[in-house]
Structures are given as structure tokens and as C-alpha cells.
């Protein structure tokens, strides 16, 4: 037929036009044929790889399982898949790339702890790392080459100086005083418990980082940093909407921001760094020579730190510490409201060991086993970093139970599934501190002495774990000692119920707002809280200070307008 059309065209003198039409048709069909063959080869390769990986839902060509992801809380779906395939690991394809999810505590311990030497790197994270916080940020650094490992160790050493296990004991005095102020604030304005916890957590890390406390819960630096941290956390959760959809279609990230609204401003290069400005301002002020930022500037020549390095190290400490710690304390209040029976043993123990004329101290910890178990259950019951922080990636091909885990693969621990496994935690949604009492019938074997995996694993465990555990213990113990926490009663006598499943959707999850009642347990305790709170404020006067910088105006002054995601959340 094509030959007949060509002859007819030549007879009519339209040969060039026919040749043009034939060439265009031939080109189009060739492109389609080549594309189809390429697609078949690529999909065949995906299926061949799938046969070697842990089980999971069948992926579609190009898009994988992306559009099977639920709208909210995908970690629950990963848990369900693990049960469906009866496997501790499941594979979910994000586009053409497999992601492996660990839903079992013993498997997480085996891979991330016992094989930490090969699971300490990061995979390629297009949205959160390359377009967001930066691949050079400590939390995102690769460790696949000797140079990368050396740089990672240097940054890790620096952050450990600020919040490592040995360092955090130096902070107990002001952390204790800030905790006393929390109790004092709850006495005066219990309805603002969320703001009290956010001010407390932000103030502690601000003193560590900058030598300056945060006095008021209305300080913009609290709301701005925590809001930005919530947005940044969303960039760690796989999704089927933008901007996370760029992980499935990475070519979309190459478009300029001006014509790519789906990027939400991610990938803009900043000429100035918000947390560097805060650090530089604090470092130039007299006093508090032991602040983290003064240490960073002092070590800068030794470690060849640039402005972005200092910004990211200070920003990671400040941003992450404020959000996660406050979210944990809000979960604590929710648990008290939903399970009032667990308060009675705590009160009995605190009354016996501490009494009403002083609040608990760290010296009481070993004499308060139930309260200690209570804090552990807070960290287990609704862990903040619900998918264990950023993903890991093996630096070489590895095998587990016959399944291949390829080099560089995105592999992540599903803390939700790990902490809700009936084998280790029967009736897992019930808040039950007895799980962490040695010898109690509710206690079950669990890898690791802590009994939970809230802070991640191995060499990528959360740097601020010791600080968070220390602060959570003293604050939970003090609030338990001081207050009766219960569901709120309406004027007509009815009860305002709470929902233990109503949590935010980001990596660092926290309860959605809820009402409750927080009242002092006795008049003697109320007087003690008031006395200790006033004394704490006097002791904290040495950390009084103010910054001229606000995140909401900083970038506009530098002609770098902030947008929803294109910010400096991690000091990038």
C-alpha cells in the first residue's frame, strides 16, 4: 500500500510531499517501536530483579507500586504487606527503584546493628537530599568511599561533642530547670500544654547550640522552625503526589523552578543560610564559651568547615531536637488521658520515693522502676520517627534469608510495625508500662537493652538520642509527680474523648490537637511547683538573650523568598 501511494504521488508530481509524509510516518513508528522494545527490556529487567528481592506487590512498568501507596500513613500498609507475605522484609517499587521495608525487630537488629559496617550509607534521595537538605548534610551523607566516610566521621564527631552520651550530662542543670518551668507553665496555663512543651524543647537545644534560651512560647523561632520541620518530615515519606512523585519520575526534577510548580521551590540554591546567621550571631557574643556554635567555629579550620557545614550542623541540632522532643511529650499527655489506670502505680511510686515537697531528680531514677518503664512505653507506644529516620543503603550487595539486598538500595526500618508486633508487644495499641518491668508477665524478649528502636540503628542512630532520653525522663517524671492528667469534662458533665490513632502523617508524627485536663495533684505539690518554677527562672537568667533573625524574613531580606518547601530547614 505504501508503494502504491508513492507511485500515485509521483504520477501527480507530489513526490517530495509524499516522501515527507512517508518519512514522518516511518520516524513515528520507529520511535514507538524502539520505545516499546525499550519498555519491554526495562520491565523484564525489573521483574528479573524482583525475583531476587524480598516479596512485595507486583510492580507496574515505569511507575512500580507508586500509585498503590495509601494517601496517609503508608507504614501501616507496609506492616500489612509483611503479614500478607509472611516475611520480615517487603519490597515496594517507587518507580523503577525498589525500596525495602523491615517490619521485624530481629531483622532490623541483624542488618542495621550486626552488619552496621555495610549498612551505614544512604541511598540516593532525590527530593529530601538532592533538592532539599543537601546530600552533604550529615543525615544524608553517603559513606561509599574513603573520602565520604572520613567526612561523615568528622561531622559525626562534631555533633557528638554537642549531644553525645558523654556530653549531655553537662546539660542536666539547665535541662532540669527548663523542665521545672514546664511544670510551672502547666500550673498557670494547662490549656497551652503543647506550647509549653515546644518552648521547653526548643529552649534546651537553643541553650546548647547558641547559649541562649527561648523564654516565651510565642517566640516566632519556635513556631517557624517546628512548622518547617513538619514540612521537611513529609519529604521522607514515599508518596504518589508532588513533590514526592519526583522520586518516581526523576526527570521532572531537571525542569527549572520557574516552570515547575510541582517542585514547590525545592532545589533552589541559597546564597545565605539561616542557621549560619544564628550561629555567627551567637559566636560573636561574649559568654557561654562552651556553646556548640562556638565550638564549631573553633574547630572550623581543623575540619575545613564552610558556611553550609556550620549551618547544617547547627540546624540539625536545633530543628530536629525541638520537634521530636515536644512531640514525644504530647504523646505522653495523650496516653495519660486514654489510659488513666496507668497513672495510679506511677503516683504511688512517686509519693513513696519523692513525696510532695520536692519534684523528682535524676538521682531518683533507679528508685522509680515503674516511672522508668512508663517513659520507655511512651517512646515505644507512638514513636515520633515512625519509619526510623532517613533510609539506609548497603555499600555492597548483601543477602538475608536468600533474598538479595542490592548495593545502594533504599532500605528502611518500619518502627510502627516493629513496635506493634504482637510477638514482642501483645495488644500493642494499649499503653502498658509493665512491658518494660523485668520479670513481669507482660515483658517479652527484644533485641537490645533499651527494649525499643525509637531512635534508629547502628552507625546512623539519632545523634540526639541521649539528650532526648534524658530530657524525656525528667519531664515525664516531673509532670506525673505534679499533675492529674485526664480527659476534659464539658460544662454539662460529658467527657471529651481522645483518639489514640489521630496522628499527623509525616515522618515525625505527633497527635492532632486534643483537649485535656491538667490539674495539680495536691495543694502541697502546687506550692512546690510554684516555688521550684520561680527559682528555675532565676537560675536560667544567665541564658537570657535574643536574636534579631526570623526565618520568615531572613530570606526575603536576601532576595530569596521562602516558599512551602524551598527553605533552609536542614541548614543546606
Amino acid at each position: 500500500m505504501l508503494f502504491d501511494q508513492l507511485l500515485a504521488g509521483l504520477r501527480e508530481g507530489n513526490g517530495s510531499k509524499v516522501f515527507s509524509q512517508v518519512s514522518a510516518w516511518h520516524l513515528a513508528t520507529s520511535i514507538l517501536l524502539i520505545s516499546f522494545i525499550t519498555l519491554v527490556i526495562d520491565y523484564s529487567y525489573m521483574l528479573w530483579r524482583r525475583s531476587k528481592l524480598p516479596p512485595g506487590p507486583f510492580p507496574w512498568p515505569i511507575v512500580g507500586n507508586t500509585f498503590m501507596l495509601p494517601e496517609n500513613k503508608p507504614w501501616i500498609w507496609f506492616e500489612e504487606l509483611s503479614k500478607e507475605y509472611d516475611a520480615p522484609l517487603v519490597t515496594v517499587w517507587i518507580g523503577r527503584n525498589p525500596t525495602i521495608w523491615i517490619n521485624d525487630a530481629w531483622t532490623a537488629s541483624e542488618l542495621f546493628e550486626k552488619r552496621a559496617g555495610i549498612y551505614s550509607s544512604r541511598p540516593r534521595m532525590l527530593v529530601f537530599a538532592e533538592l532539599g537538605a543537601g546530600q552533604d548534610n550529615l543525615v544524608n551523607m553517603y559513606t561509599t568511599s574513603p573520602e565520604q566516610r572520613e567526612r561523615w566521621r568528622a561531622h559525626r564527631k562534631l555533633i557528638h561533642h554537642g549531644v553525645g552520651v558523654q556530653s549531655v550530662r553537662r546539660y542536666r542543670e539547665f535541662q532540669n530547670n527548663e523542665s521545672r518551668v514546664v511544670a510551672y507553665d502547666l500550673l498557670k496555663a494547662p490549656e497551652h500544654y503543647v506550647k509549653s512543651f515546644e518552648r521547653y524543647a526548643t529552649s534546651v537545644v537553643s541553650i546548647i547550640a547558641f547559649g541562649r534560651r527561648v523564654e516565651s512560647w510565642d517566640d516566632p523561632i519556635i513556631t517557624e522552625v517546628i512548622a518547617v520541620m513538619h514540612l521537611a518530615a513529609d519529604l521522607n515519606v514515599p508518596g504518589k503526589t508532588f513533590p514526592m512523585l519526583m522520586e518516581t519520575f526523576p526527570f521532572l526534577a531537571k525542569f527549572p523552578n520557574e516552570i515547575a510548580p510541582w517542585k514547590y521551590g525545592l532545589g533552589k540554591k541559597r546564597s545565605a543560610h539561616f542557621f549560619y546567621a544564628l550561629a555567627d550571631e551567637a559566636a560573636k557574643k561574649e559568654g557561654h564559651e562552651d556553646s556548640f556554635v562556638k565550638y564549631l567555629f573553633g574547630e572550623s579550620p581543623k575540619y575545613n568547615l564552610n558556611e553550609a557545614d556550620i549551618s547544617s550542623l547547627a540546624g540539625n541540632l536545633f530543628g530536629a531536637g525541638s520537634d521530636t522532643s515536644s512531640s514525644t511529650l504530647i504523646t505522653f499527655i495523650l496516653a495519660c488521658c486514654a489510659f488513666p489506670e496507668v497513672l495510679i502505680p506511677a503516683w504511688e511510686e512517686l509519693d513513696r520515693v519523692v513525696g510532695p515537697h520536692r519534684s523528682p531528680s535524676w538521682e531518683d531514677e533507679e528508685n522509680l522502676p515503674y516511672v522508668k518503664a512508663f517513659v520507655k512505653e511512651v517512646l515505644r507506644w507512638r514513636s515520633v520517627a515512625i519509619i526510623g529516620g532517613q533510609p539506609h543503603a548497603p555499600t555492597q550487595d548483601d543477602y538475608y534469608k536468600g533474598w538479595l539486598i542490592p548495593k545502594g538500595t533504599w532500605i528502611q526500618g518500619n518502627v510502627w510495625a516493629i513496635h506493634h508486633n504482637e510477638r514482642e508487644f501483645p495488644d500493642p495499641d494499649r499503653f502498658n508500662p509493665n512491658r518494660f518491668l523485668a520479670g513481669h508477665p507482660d515483658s517479652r524478649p527484644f533485641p537490645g537493652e533499651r527494649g525499643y528502636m525509637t531512635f534508629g540503628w547502628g552507625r546512623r542512630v539519632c545523634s540526639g538520642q541521649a539528650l532526648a532520653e534524658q530530657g524525656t525522663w525528667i519531664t515525664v517524671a516531673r509532670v506525673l509527680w505534679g499533675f492529674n492528667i485526664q480527659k476534659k469534662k464539658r460544662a454539662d458533665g460529658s467527657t471529651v474523648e481522645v483518639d489514640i490513632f489521630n496522628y499527623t502523617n509525616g515522618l515525625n508524627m505527633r497527635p492532632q490537637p486534643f483537649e485535656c485536663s491538667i490539674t495539680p495533684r495536691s495543694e502541697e505539690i502546687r506550692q512546690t511547683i510554684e516555688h521550684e518554677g520561680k527559682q528555675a527562672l532565676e537560675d536560667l537568667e544567665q541564658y537570657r538573650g535574643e536574636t534579631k533573625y526570623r526565618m520568615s524574613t531572613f530570606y526575603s531580606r536576601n532576595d530569596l523568598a521562602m516558599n512551602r518547601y524551598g527553605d533552609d530547614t536542614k541548614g543546606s
Side-chain angles (χ1 to χ4, degrees):
M1 182 176 179
L2 179 62
F3 184 70
D4 291 339
Q5 288 177 335
L6 181 57
L7 287 176
L10 289 173
R11 292 191 193 102
E12 297 172 6
N14 296 323
S16 60
K17 182 178 179 180
V18 172
F19 274 119
S20 177
Q21 292 174 341
V22 170
S23 298
W25 181 85
H26 189 271
L27 178 62
T29 54
S30 298
I31 291 174
L32 287 173
L33 181 60
I34 293 171
S35 298
F36 177 75
I37 293 172
T38 302
L39 178 63
V40 169
I41 293 172
D42 183 72
Y43 189 47
S44 298
Y45 178 62
M46 281 179 63
L47 297 181
W48 175 78
R49 293 179 71 195
R50 179 179 182 269
S51 68
K52 299 176 178 293
L53 298 171
F58 204 83
W60 290 95
I62 302 176
V63 300
N65 305 122
T66 297
F67 294 101
M68 299 179 191
L69 289 167
E71 295 287 347
N72 295 304
K73 301 177 175 59
W75 45 85
I76 297 176
W77 185 55
F78 301 146
E79 178 189 31
E80 292 169 351
L81 288 176
S82 192
K83 293 176 181 178
E84 178 183 341
Y85 291 101
D86 191 24
L89 303 174
V90 293
T91 303
V92 174
W93 290 75
I94 304 301
R96 299 171 59 255
N97 298 312
T99 65
I100 297 174
W101 296 85
I102 304 176
N103 297 284
D104 172 80
W106 304 92
T107 303
S109 178
E110 173 65 32
L111 296 180
F112 290 159
E113 299 282 354
K114 296 179 182 179
R115 306 186 196 181
I118 65 171
Y119 281 92
S120 61
S121 192
R122 297 294 193 207
R124 184 192 182 197
M125 292 180 281
L126 173 64
V127 177
F128 182 78
E130 292 183 18
L131 299 179
Q135 202 74 58
D136 289 336
N137 189 299
L138 174 63
V139 297
N140 300 328
M141 282 184 189
Y142 298 129
T143 58
T144 53
S145 71
E147 295 79 11
Q148 291 168 341
R149 285 192 292 274
E150 188 61 31
R151 189 169 185 273
W152 177 80
R153 289 192 190 102
H155 280 233
R156 184 76 170 180
K157 182 178 179 181
L158 290 167
I159 204 75
H160 272 191
H161 177 87
V163 291
V165 175
Q166 302 304 319
S167 299
V168 298
R169 296 184 70 87
R170 306 195 311 260
Y171 309 142
R172 282 192 166 186
E173 182 177 353
F174 67 73
Q175 197 172 26
N176 185 45
N177 279 325
E178 288 287 10
S179 176
R180 286 173 169 169
V181 174
V182 168
Y184 191 33
D185 286 343
L186 292 177
L187 195 66
K188 295 183 292 182
E191 69 276 11
H192 293 307
Y193 68 93
V194 172
K195 291 183 177 181
S196 295
F197 292 149
E198 289 178 345
R199 187 216 59 80
Y200 157 76
T202 307
S203 190
V204 167
V205 292
S206 184
I207 292 174
I208 294 169
F210 308 116
R212 178 187 66 248
R213 72 183 296 256
V214 176
E215 298 182 44
S216 169
W217 59 45
D218 293 324
D219 191 319
I221 204 165
I222 301 175
T223 54
E224 290 179 358
V225 169
I226 288 180
V228 165
M229 288 302 299
H230 287 174
L231 293 173
D234 292 343
L235 303 183
N236 279 277
V237 181
K240 56 187 177 184
T241 58
F242 289 113
M244 288 306 295
L245 197 54
M246 285 189 287
E247 295 285 357
T248 299
F249 303 110
F251 70 91
L252 293 174
K254 298 183 182 296
F255 285 78
N257 286 60
E258 292 74 18
I259 61 171
W262 58 83
K263 293 176 71 175
Y264 289 97
L266 286 163
K268 286 185 177 180
K269 298 298 182 182
R270 300 303 191 193
S271 62
H273 306 279
F274 175 69
F275 285 107
Y276 178 84
L278 290 180
D280 184 59
E281 177 189 50
K284 290 175 179 176
K285 290 185 177 180
E286 294 183 1
H288 304 296
E289 300 303 319
D290 58 346
S291 71
F292 182 55
V293 296
K294 288 191 176 182
Y295 172 75
L296 288 180
F297 278 102
E299 296 293 297
S300 179
K302 177 180 177 181
Y303 293 102
N304 195 28
L305 301 178
N306 57 34
E307 182 177 312
D309 292 331
I310 293 174
S311 183
S312 67
L313 287 165
N316 290 346
L317 176 68
F318 190 73
S322 58
D323 181 32
T324 54
S325 294
S326 58
S327 296
T328 298
L329 294 172
I330 299 168
T331 278
F332 154 62
I333 297 294
L334 178 64
C336 292
C337 291
F339 302 92
E341 68 278 5
V342 302
L343 296 172
I344 297 171
W347 289 337
E348 291 175 349
E349 187 175 76
L350 286 160
D351 289 344
R352 184 178 69 254
V353 175
V354 179
H357 301 297
R358 69 173 180 90
S359 62
S361 68
W362 276 288
E363 287 71 27
D364 297 314
E365 185 173 4
E366 294 308 313
N367 297 320
L368 297 169
Y370 184 82
V371 173
K372 192 174 182 179
F374 197 110
V375 174
K376 288 191 171 188
E377 180 70 342
V378 169
L379 294 169
R380 191 283 311 178
W381 182 62
R382 293 290 187 266
S383 302
V384 174
I386 200 61
I387 50 177
Q390 279 71 35
H392 295 233
T395 55
Q396 64 187 52
D397 286 354
D398 193 29
Y399 287 88
Y400 182 75
K401 293 188 174 181
W403 295 312
L404 170 67
I405 303 175
K407 175 182 177 180
T409 298
W410 181 311
I411 178 168
Q412 198 150 5
N414 183 359
V415 176
W416 173 269
I418 289 168
H419 285 173
H420 283 73
N421 193 313
E422 293 272 359
R423 181 186 59 208
E424 283 81 37
F425 305 106
D427 194 7
D429 286 312
R430 179 175 166 235
F431 187 89
N432 178 15
N434 293 327
R435 305 180 199 276
F436 294 96
L437 290 176
H440 195 280
D442 291 343
S443 177
R444 297 287 188 277
F446 192 87
E449 60 181 17
R450 283 183 167 84
Y452 53 80
M453 293 181 168
T454 306
F455 297 94
W457 305 268
R459 298 176 187 177
R460 291 288 188 167
V461 69
C462 174
S463 302
Q465 176 173 355
L467 179 69
E469 290 174 331
Q470 180 172 282
T472 300
W473 189 88
I474 194 63
T475 306
V476 168
R478 178 165 282 119
V479 174
L480 280 174
W481 163 84
F483 297 95
N484 181 10
I485 305 162
Q486 56 189 340
K487 297 175 186 177
K488 185 176 181 179
K489 296 285 186 181
R490 298 187 181 94
D492 62 3
S494 61
T495 300
V496 179
E497 296 298 328
V498 295
D499 184 351
I500 64 173
F501 297 100
N502 190 19
Y503 271 70
T504 59
N505 192 48
L507 165 68
N508 293 338
M509 72 173 195
R510 63 162 57 188
Q512 298 285 6
F514 63 94
E515 294 182 292
C516 64
S517 171
I518 303 175
T519 56
R521 291 178 53 221
S522 71
E523 176 58 24
E524 285 180 304
I525 285 177
R526 188 198 67 77
Q527 292 177 7
T528 301
I529 292 171
E530 187 172 356
H531 170 72
E532 290 188 350
K534 291 178 179 178
Q535 183 61 54
L537 287 172
E538 290 182 19
D539 294 342
L540 290 167
E541 273 294 307
Q542 60 180 304
Y543 300 108
R544 178 185 286 272
E546 204 170 350
T547 175
K548 65 182 179 181
Y549 295 109
R550 293 289 180 266
M551 187 177 286
S552 55
T553 58
F554 179 79
Y555 292 112
S556 60
R557 283 200 304 268
N558 291 278
D559 295 321
L560 291 165
M562 286 189 68
N563 47 62
R564 187 180 177 199
Y565 288 109
D567 51 62
D568 200 32
T569 60
K570 296 287 186 178
S572 61

